[in-house]
Amino acid sequence: MANDKTTPAVSRDKEPRAELGIWLRALREARGLSQRQLADILSLDYYTFISQLETGRGKIPSARYRDWAEALAQDPRDFMKTLLSYYEPEAYSMLFEECKEG
């Protein structure tokens, strides 16, 4: 699914947050929003925060996951799961991947 915008593309060549940033940018662009417009929707003081996220720097505050999901037309649970897989891979693994017992 090359055009699937619901999950980030997996690449071993990029830093995980940079890969997540590419996904966030694709979601924003799919909604036809500029960084400034998204910042306005999210009541952010600086649209440059979105630029930082899209280049792999920074992190969406967990208290705002739902706001971001809604602004980007994503299911909040799926959106949060994806963020968690990049921001907290150990926690994601413990919660969502099958236990591998030796």
Side-chain angles (χ1 to χ4, degrees):
M1 279 189 198
N3 295 326
D4 181 12
K5 299 289 186 222
T6 60
T7 56
V10 177
S11 171
R12 301 291 182 228
D13 300 333
K14 297 189 184 298
E15 206 48 48
R17 284 200 187 180
E19 193 69 43
L20 180 63
I22 292 168
W23 177 66
L24 291 170
R25 179 180 180 180
L27 292 176
R28 175 181 58 76
E29 290 176 344
R31 297 272 296 145
L33 298 171
S34 68
Q35 291 177 349
R36 193 176 301 269
Q37 289 169 320
L38 181 56
D40 288 344
I41 290 168
L42 293 167
S43 300
L44 299 175
D45 292 331
Y46 304 100
Y47 75 92
T48 54
F49 178 64
I50 293 169
S51 175
Q52 291 173 343
L53 293 172
E54 291 180 358
T55 56
R57 297 167 300 173
K59 181 178 176 184
I60 298 171
S62 59
R64 301 290 316 268
Y65 287 175
R66 182 177 298 280
D67 298 333
W68 278 77
E70 291 172 358
L72 296 171
Q74 298 295 299
D75 174 78
R77 286 180 185 222
D78 291 339
F79 186 77
M80 194 250 356
K81 246 175 110 171
T82 298
L83 293 180
L84 187 63
S85 74
Y86 283 85
Y87 292 155
E88 300 291 340
E90 293 293 325
Y92 177 87
S93 178
M94 290 173 65
L95 289 169
F96 302 110
E97 293 178 2
E98 288 187 35
C99 293
K100 296 178 184 174
E101 295 186 23

